[in-house]
């Protein structure tokens, strides 16, 4: 019985340590924490629609002009949210939980804006390209990939 | 020692049961599973921006025409994604994991579409109202709340 109790206490302490680690970075208000989740929703939508187009570009999915156009329109819409509502100050990695936004998003706001605009432009070009043919889609895909990578390089922190 | 081993086995089995339960509904392809996450991103964005406007309507946050307009534009954009890419057949609750989409979304597609259009219309009206004054925002908020509730009543299943 004594051994079991000791094992249970050890397990209980381990869970407590994990719980503390998971919540240790929560120095933000509810609106700030909610904004992090909302922009992660935005990234989910960007990634998902880029994935549909990327699969066609790589030949993993059959080219379908209607599906590609739908994905391109949604990608452009997802890239075009007004950033003022989503990127609240004080929500960078290490301050707000579960989040990889670098502080440079706010200290270099013009740079961040330019990188995001590149995705808006590339995804706008994709709307026409996606409905034209597979070769056009592939060319447009290159610019989308570059836009994603360039922004992540400068403004996304390491994995949590 | 025997007691500990028995405890360890019981714990191991419990974890296995939980893991099975968590994954038991995964009868879907990766694109289907990804679509569920993407539309949850959409719902996150809808809920977040509705929350910003709702807090002003309820007097929990100070009315700010610029913030309200930004939130209304983003809400309208989030409500206006092309549904063809996001609501893939075979991804209803009980078939795809962690998901409350009722089968009626697909069996009554016209009804679902009409309910979603009501949110598009209400959020489009909010763009002007949000920038006008708090009273206008409150009126427009009523229609947004009704649109959310009407769709959830008919097309959202119980909590998982």
């Amino acid at each position: 019985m004594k051994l079991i109790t000791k094992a249970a206490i050890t397990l209980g302490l381990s869970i407590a340590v994990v719980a503390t680690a998971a919540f240790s970075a929560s120095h933000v208000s509810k609106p700030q924490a909610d904004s992090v989740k909302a922009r992660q929703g935005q990234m989910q939508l960007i990634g998902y629609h880029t994935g549909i187009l990327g699969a066609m570009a790589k030949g993993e999915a059959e080219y379908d002009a209607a599906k590609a156009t739908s994905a391109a329109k949604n990608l452009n819409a997802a890239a075009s949210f007004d950033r003022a509502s989503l990127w609240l100050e004080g929500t960078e990695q290490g301050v707000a939980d579960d989040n990889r936004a670098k502080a440079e998003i706010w200290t270099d706001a013009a740079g961040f804006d330019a990188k995001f605009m590149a995705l808006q432009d590339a995804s706008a070009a994709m709307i026409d390209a996606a409905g034209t043919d597979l070769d056009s889609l592939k060319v447009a895909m290159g610019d989308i990939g570059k836009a994603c990578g360039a922004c992540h390089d400068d403004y996304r922190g390491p994995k949590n």
Side-chain angles (χ1 to χ4, degrees), chain A:
Chain A
M1 259 334 250
K2 224 175 183 180
L3 281 172
I4 289 246
T5 308
K6 203 172 171 188
I9 288 169
T10 307
L11 181 66
L13 285 176
S14 305
I15 291 169
V17 168
V18 169
T20 306
F23 293 101
S24 63
S26 274
H27 304 305
V28 299
S29 67
K30 189 173 182 304
Q32 286 175 316
D34 289 346
S35 76
V36 171
K37 283 188 204 154
R39 65 193 192 222
Q40 286 169 345
Q42 176 188 28
M43 290 297 154
Q44 196 78 47
L45 285 158
I46 291 173
Y48 173 68
H49 292 102
T50 301
I52 293 173
L53 296 160
M56 292 186 198
K58 287 185 274 180
E60 293 168 5
E62 203 176 339
Y63 171 67
D64 178 318
K67 276 189 191 173
T69 303
S70 168
K73 284 183 181 168
N74 281 355
L75 172 57
N76 183 245
S80 302
F81 281 104
D82 182 1
R83 286 183 280 288
S85 299
L86 287 164
W87 302 86
L88 303 185
E89 286 198 39
T91 59
E92 66 267 32
Q93 188 172 33
V95 178
D97 275 341
D98 300 329
N99 163 32
R100 297 171 66 186
K102 277 174 126 171
E104 284 77 1
I105 288 171
W106 294 273
T107 57
D108 175 27
F112 178 64
D113 208 57
K115 291 280 160 81
F116 229 119
M117 283 301 298
L119 180 60
Q120 284 184 32
D121 293 345
S123 56
M126 177 59 97
I127 296 174
D128 278 339
T132 305
D133 57 33
L134 182 56
D135 282 339
S136 305
L137 183 152
K138 284 181 183 173
V139 172
M141 195 67 217
D143 291 334
I144 287 172
K146 272 178 222 157
C148 293
C151 196
H152 287 161
D153 281 351
D154 289 353
Y155 301 102
R156 184 171 67 167
K159 283 196 178 178
N160 286 299

